[in-house]
Amino acid sequence: MNDAAPAPTPAPAPRRARVRAPELTGKGGWINTGGKDLKLADFRGRVLILDFWTFCCINCLHVLDELRELEEKHRDTVVIIGVHSPKFVHEAEHAAVVDAVERYEVHHPVLDDPELATWKQYAVRAWPTLVVIDPEGYIVAQHAGEGHAHAIAKLVEELEAEHEAKGTLRRGDGPYVAPEPVATDLRFPGKALVLPSGNLLVSDTTRHQLVELAPDGESVVRRIGSGERGFGPDAFSEPQGLALLPDGSVVVADTVNHALRRFDPATGAVETVAGTGRQWWQGSPASGPALEVDLSSPWDVAWWQGKVWIAMAGVHQLWTWDPADGTVAVSAGTTSEGLHDGPALEAWLAQPSGLAAAGDRLWIADSENSALRYVEPAGEGAAGYAVRTAVGTGLFDFGHRDGDAAQALLQHPLGVTALPDGSVAVCDTYNHALRRFDPATGQVSTLATDLREPSDAVLAGEDIVVVESARHRLTRLRLPEEAVRVDAVAHRTQRAATEVAPGTLRLDVVFQAPTGQKLDTRYGPSTRLLVSSTPPELLVGGEGTGTDLFRELALNPEVTEGVLHVSAMAASCDDDPANEYPACHVHQQDWGVPVTVTADGATRLPLVLAGMDA
């Protein structure tokens, strides 16, 4: 006789909103499909995840890495489609998107949407955004920002079970077709360094190696690293920045490993000196023993003021590593993305990606701001450091314009180099140019054009050696005495502004915890909302930090346009009272929402962090 209690009836699948997914359209066509054009109907029977991304965006690159495990585990039921939706003019060039797909090892089809047609159809407001479509072609969830991989994995399992039972799930190979490999000594190199021997050390980013070249910049002396993505003593993951230390060793920004490594050119040994291999999240320690503190996409490094300064692109900050005591600490930036000068720990940066030390200044290529900035001691009577802007106005203005620095324009620069005369060379990456800023005159000029995505430059005698990342080579130039004349071009981001009504604007950040999880309130509020604006005068009420994911904003009737900066975070944990140590996850996203104030504009601004806006 069986005395066991009857098995509980399985809980019914959660009811979901049924919104039909719009068709996928993009004038750039498809990449990674072997030349085939795809339609939504081609994915019927599969779980489809749309990843709206743009290749300048560090958060988008984080999401690409978050999705790799999901993509592999559910290869026969899930199709991921990248929808490339450009911010910068250069990102609308099809060849640049093709390059980026290879550079970042995107192993799924990508729709090139240069005019943001599909972005608009899906009402996307932020990079990155993930949209989940069920096997019958209905949108079931939307997630903005990072940290959603676990929630999407849970949703995928639910959809697999639900549609397996309904008979609407179709298993099989996906539509991805790998491109033909190309043989070159370097593949999308990132940064370079002149070693004391006169040889050049280059971060061969896409091949996950360092490469030592002879002084000619072409002959390979040796390769450091296995060439396979990893975090062992013989492996890197998309390394970028390099800096020579006083002891002759080289510190390496091992970007996707979220770590600093030290390479000894004499012995070839590689060791980890900072970072855990995990990505830093809000709420994690931001200082302490270097090997115990998480980092976030360190992109460049420089030796300045007795420490290694780190361009921490993933969190819009500068950190420092002190080799003497083995600690790291935040030294500039708040994690808010934007352009704001002042005391270093109050300043805003936007994906700093290049550093160069020059006397009492540390120059910064602040890429998402299309800006050249610098750190300097705060001055007489003040402690610490200050951040100043030399060229650039913020997140949404960019172009190629020389002349007075106050009106000059760059486009997503990744590298900066101090020149012997006290001026600064800027690798103006998306303008394919080498630019120059002279602090003595306040003038910006162009030194060279027709460089393909230059990402760094180093001095070699009277020459400057430029890393032409998208041409997979180093290019030696004689520093010209006279600049090249370039016709001025100015741009603004293609994103359409949201029309809002004057007066009170209700801001709602939509967040629905994944199935089986709840907001983590054990140690206080589990959500955070930070709101500010550019110009600051746009808001006369509602700015600042709070714990509710909604806010009543008061708009200034005298300001007709601007940008709302919204940063949201929510922490959710497994909803199991019996589990003393539930698994918890952080979901976060920053939005920069261009707005135009009009009489018939909206009175509510919904931003989806996770779930669906009712």
Side-chain angles (χ1 to χ4, degrees):
M1 182 177 177
N2 186 352
D3 293 325
T9 302
R15 293 182 61 83
R16 301 187 182 92
R18 301 275 286 177
V19 179
R20 176 66 73 180
E23 188 55 83
L24 305 177
T25 58
K27 289 190 70 173
W30 289 88
I31 303 166
N32 280 355
T33 65
K36 181 180 179 182
D37 289 335
L38 301 175
K39 299 293 183 184
L40 267 180
D42 297 326
F43 310 113
R44 195 59 54 85
R46 311 293 286 275
V47 178
L48 182 61
I49 300 172
L50 304 182
D51 175 16
F52 289 86
W53 70 298
T54 189
F55 63 77
C56 72
C57 160
I58 191 67
N59 311 92
C60 300
L61 303 186
H62 290 166
V63 168
L64 285 176
D65 290 313
E66 289 178 3
L67 292 175
R68 293 187 198 279
E69 182 179 350
L70 176 73
E71 189 169 26
E72 184 60 36
K73 183 177 179 181
H74 298 274
R75 187 165 293 280
D76 67 332
T77 57
V78 172
V79 175
I80 297 176
I81 298 292
V83 182
H84 189 268
S85 313
K87 171 187 173 181
F88 290 100
V89 170
H90 170 58
E91 293 175 305
E93 297 176 14
H94 183 71
V97 182
V98 172
D99 282 346
V101 167
E102 180 189 348
R103 181 194 297 266
Y104 298 115
E105 297 184 308
V106 179
H107 292 165
H108 50 250
V110 172
L111 174 64
D112 181 10
D113 183 18
E115 297 180 349
L116 303 180
T118 296
W119 164 288
K120 294 169 186 172
Q121 285 291 310
Y122 281 80
V124 174
R125 292 185 182 273
W127 297 279
T129 291
L130 298 170
V131 176
V132 183
I133 300 171
D134 72 13
E136 294 179 288
Y138 290 92
I139 298 172
V140 293
Q142 182 172 321
H143 299 76
E146 303 177 50
H148 301 294
H150 73 285
I152 291 178
K154 182 74 173 177
L155 177 57
V156 164
E157 291 173 357
E158 294 173 7
L159 291 171
E160 286 175 342
E162 177 184 339
H163 289 273
E164 188 92 81
K166 290 175 66 175
T168 49
L169 186 70
R170 177 171 57 87
R171 297 179 182 270
D173 294 334
Y176 169 67
V177 178
E180 289 293 323
V182 181
T184 51
D185 287 333
L186 301 173
R187 205 71 192 158
F188 298 105
K191 305 287 186 180
L193 173 72
V194 178
L195 294 169
S197 65
N199 287 349
L200 293 155
L201 188 67
V202 183
S203 54
D204 196 15
T205 305
T206 298
R207 293 215 176 105
H208 314 296
Q209 289 181 315
L210 309 181
V211 178
E212 185 175 344
L213 301 174
D216 62 10
E218 297 180 7
S219 305
V220 175
V221 175
R222 60 173 163 168
R223 295 182 178 274
I224 300 97
S226 65
E228 297 294 328
R229 186 189 295 270
F231 193 35
D234 190 35
F236 299 94
S237 187
E238 298 183 28
Q240 287 280 351
L242 307 165
L244 190 66
L245 300 184
D247 64 3
S249 64
V250 176
V251 64
V252 182
D254 196 3
T255 304
V256 178
N257 276 329
H258 308 294
L260 298 188
R261 320 292 292 282
R262 180 156 53 190
F263 164 62
D264 184 345
T267 66
V270 175
E271 63 173 333
T272 302
V273 294
T276 63
R278 298 183 299 270
Q279 183 184 340
W280 186 91
W281 291 96
Q282 288 283 358
S284 301
S287 63
L291 291 170
E292 299 175 14
V293 177
D294 300 337
L295 309 183
S296 183
S297 296
W299 206 274
D300 203 7
V301 281
W303 178 257
W304 187 62
Q305 303 258 319
K307 296 180 181 179
V308 171
W309 287 67
I310 309 163
M312 203 71 78
V315 285
H316 318 299
Q317 291 179 312
L318 303 183
W319 289 32
T320 49
W321 168 56
D322 188 343
D325 63 13
T327 60
V328 292
V330 176
S331 294
T334 66
T335 75
S336 292
E337 184 180 15
L339 193 150
H340 176 69
D341 288 346
L345 292 174
E346 299 174 15
W348 289 17
L349 302 163
Q351 215 168 299
S353 301
L355 299 174
D360 62 356
R361 286 187 178 180
L362 178 70
W363 293 97
I364 310 163
D366 201 21
S367 63
E368 279 294 289
N369 277 323
S370 295
L372 173 65
R373 306 177 74 186
Y374 59 92
V375 180
E376 65 179 359
E380 186 175 347
Y385 297 94
V387 173
R388 316 286 186 206
T389 299
V391 183
T393 60
L395 290 168
F396 300 104
D397 293 291
F398 52 91
H400 192 148
R401 181 194 288 152
D402 289 333
D404 186 76
Q407 54 86 50
L409 293 173
L410 308 169
Q411 186 179 180
H412 197 79
L414 291 179
V416 60
T417 307
L419 299 180
D421 64 357
S423 66
V424 184
V426 180
C427 285
D428 194 6
T429 309
Y430 288 3
N431 281 326
H432 311 299
L434 189 67
R435 311 286 293 283
R436 176 178 178 264
F437 168 67
D438 185 353
T441 64
Q443 295 293 301
V444 175
S445 56
T446 297
L447 297 177
T449 58
D450 193 31
L451 300 166
R452 190 68 184 169
E453 293 192 14
S455 55
D456 197 22
V458 294
L459 294 174
E462 295 183 356
D463 297 337
I464 188 165
V465 177
V466 180
V467 180
E468 274 199 275
S469 189
R471 283 200 177 110
H472 320 292
R473 70 187 188 191
L474 304 186
T475 298
R476 185 179 294 266
L477 304 173
R478 181 57 52 94
L479 276 172
E481 294 183 5
E482 295 185 3
V484 177
R485 177 174 174 78
V486 175
D487 291 334
V489 180
H491 300 290
R492 294 209 82 195
T493 180
Q494 293 188 53
R495 293 177 59 193
T498 299
E499 295 187 352
V500 296
T504 300
L505 177 66
R506 165 83 179 204
L507 170 66
D508 284 315
V509 174
V510 178
F511 177 76
Q512 296 159 5
T515 303
Q517 293 197 340
K518 64 178 182 179
L519 288 174
D520 177 21
T521 56
R522 291 171 299 162
Y523 308 109
S526 61
T527 55
R528 188 192 71 158
L529 181 63
L530 171 64
V531 180
S532 61
S533 66
T534 301
E537 296 78 20
L538 175 65
L539 288 177
V540 294
E543 68 274 16
T545 304
T547 57
D548 292 323
L549 292 181
F550 60 88
R551 189 80 58 85
E552 297 284 343
L553 307 180
L555 301 177
N556 185 343
E558 297 180 5
V559 179
T560 58
E561 64 178 10
V563 179
L564 292 175
H565 303 282
V566 181
S567 177
M569 184 274 290
S572 62
C573 295
D574 291 342
D575 188 8
D576 182 0
N579 186 353
E580 187 177 356
Y581 303 104
C584 298
H585 304 273
V586 175
H587 317 253
Q588 65 184 46
Q589 170 64 3
D590 297 332
W591 291 268
V593 183
V595 296
T596 301
V597 181
T598 61
D600 55 353
T603 58
R604 176 177 178 264
L605 176 62
L607 300 175
V608 178
L609 179 60
M612 297 281 285
D613 180 30

